[in-house]
Amino acid sequence: MTEHYDIAIVGAGIAGASLAAELADHARVVVLEAEDYPGYHTTGRSAAFWDECYGGPDIVPLTVASGPYLAEHGFLSPRGGLYMGRDEDAATLDAFIERFAPTGIDIRRLGRAELAALIPGLKPAWTGAIHEPASADIDVAAMHQHYLTLAKRAGVVLETSARLSAAEREGGRWRLATQRGLELTAGVLANAAGAWADHVARLAGAAPLGIAPMLRTVAQLRTAPAPPATLPLTLDINGSFYFKPESGRLWLSPHDETPSEACDAAPEELAVAEAIDRFEGVVDWRIEAVERRWAGLRSFAPDRLPVYGFDARREGLFWFAGQGGFGIQTAPAAARLAAQLILGEPRDAMTGELDRSLYSPGRFAA
């Protein structure tokens, strides 16, 4: 039997789940998830943090707009963040401050003494940093479940093991099929498929936008000393590593962005080794064991900004993709904005300061 919906969302990661929750009270919605359970890929593998600078100045409005919602629902834990450098990085640190000054976020320069007080065992080469006091950890699992629960309570249908296999536009509606034989129709097809976003677009007869999956590797280390619970999220100003404490262990990444096919991402041993080598140049801690390693895919549009809006040429296809590594920290505002675009509703207090045109897929139309 063919089921009929107003909106079909492809993907049940944080993007699809948050969008479904925002739409649920206004439309009949189905979410099609290719895997056996939601959040298997990027959402379930995130070392997520809420960092106002992460993603660049054009992402700041989405992050800032999302912060109150995340805090109100208890998904944020104070952490603080550092972007640090050596003597030769002084100009880069200054440029960073200047770049973000128009956004109004709270950041300031730290000298060697202040930096060393925050990171025990810091090696002498690291002499300065930018401190972002508002940076926080995100409880990704709780946040994802929150949106899935809101959607379910409002009547959203979640279909797992439902990889999209066909999408045809007929008479102003989409006729959709999945690999396990599910057939349905919908007025709007929302593409929240992450690394598979261009693949879904092709199935729907639309031109891909060049959304590229990038591999990101993370390892969990046991160190001596153990990282203090108060250790800030620490990033290299040049983007070669970041680390943060997690339940008495250290989560470390080489901040890699290795081009990848859309796949079940696996960590690369070389990337883990590079991360460890870089970390050993930062502090005098001893690494006792690599306890876990994993990888996820972060997907970027060519200009590294997210894509929210209806396709310029394919009727009824809505893009909600290309959210890079900032999709979780921006999910509340992004999903609210996307729902307003789909439903034709005006902006509200959360989205009122967002520039819709900045994220529109129309920017890629020739």
Side-chain angles (χ1 to χ4, degrees), residues 75-265:
F75 302 135
L76 298 183
S77 300
R79 167 69 52 203
L82 294 171
Y83 287 81
M84 64 177 195
R86 304 172 176 86
D87 281 344
E88 59 266 31
D89 299 317
T92 304
L93 291 167
D94 289 340
F96 188 101
I97 293 279
E98 184 177 348
R99 184 182 177 213
F100 283 93
T103 69
I105 61 176
D106 181 14
I107 54 177
R108 68 181 185 90
R109 283 290 299 269
L110 298 184
R112 165 69 194 185
E114 295 170 295
L115 181 56
L118 292 170
I119 305 178
L122 185 68
K123 292 192 172 180
W126 300 91
T127 55
I130 293 164
H131 185 219
E132 184 187 345
S135 184
D137 293 337
I138 302 177
D139 188 337
V140 179
M143 179 183 171
H144 189 212
Q145 190 58 49
H146 163 79
Y147 278 121
L148 290 171
T149 299
L150 286 180
K152 182 178 180 180
R153 286 177 180 168
V156 170
V157 175
L158 172 62
E159 297 283 357
T160 56
S161 303
R163 185 176 298 276
L164 190 68
S165 60
E168 299 291 336
R169 188 76 174 171
E170 298 177 357
R173 290 184 65 79
W174 291 99
R175 183 168 293 278
L176 308 172
T178 73
Q179 288 183 352
R180 66 175 171 88
L182 183 68
E183 295 185 353
L184 60 145
T185 71
V188 172
L189 178 62
N191 184 359
W196 285 263
D198 272 0
H199 173 71
V200 168
R202 291 187 187 96
L203 279 178
L209 298 184
I211 293 180
M214 301 286 183
L215 190 75
R216 169 61 50 86
T217 306
V218 184
Q220 177 175 297
L221 309 180
R222 186 175 76 247
T223 63
T230 56
L231 184 72
L233 166 68
T234 303
L235 306 96
D236 174 19
I237 192 65
N238 295 307
S240 69
F241 63 79
Y242 66 76
F243 56 83
K244 56 174 277 191
E246 182 68 27
S247 303
R249 299 295 190 258
L250 190 85
W251 282 8
L252 170 69
S253 173
H255 219 158
D256 49 334
E257 286 186 4
T258 306
S260 171
E261 297 296 322
C263 64
D264 186 356

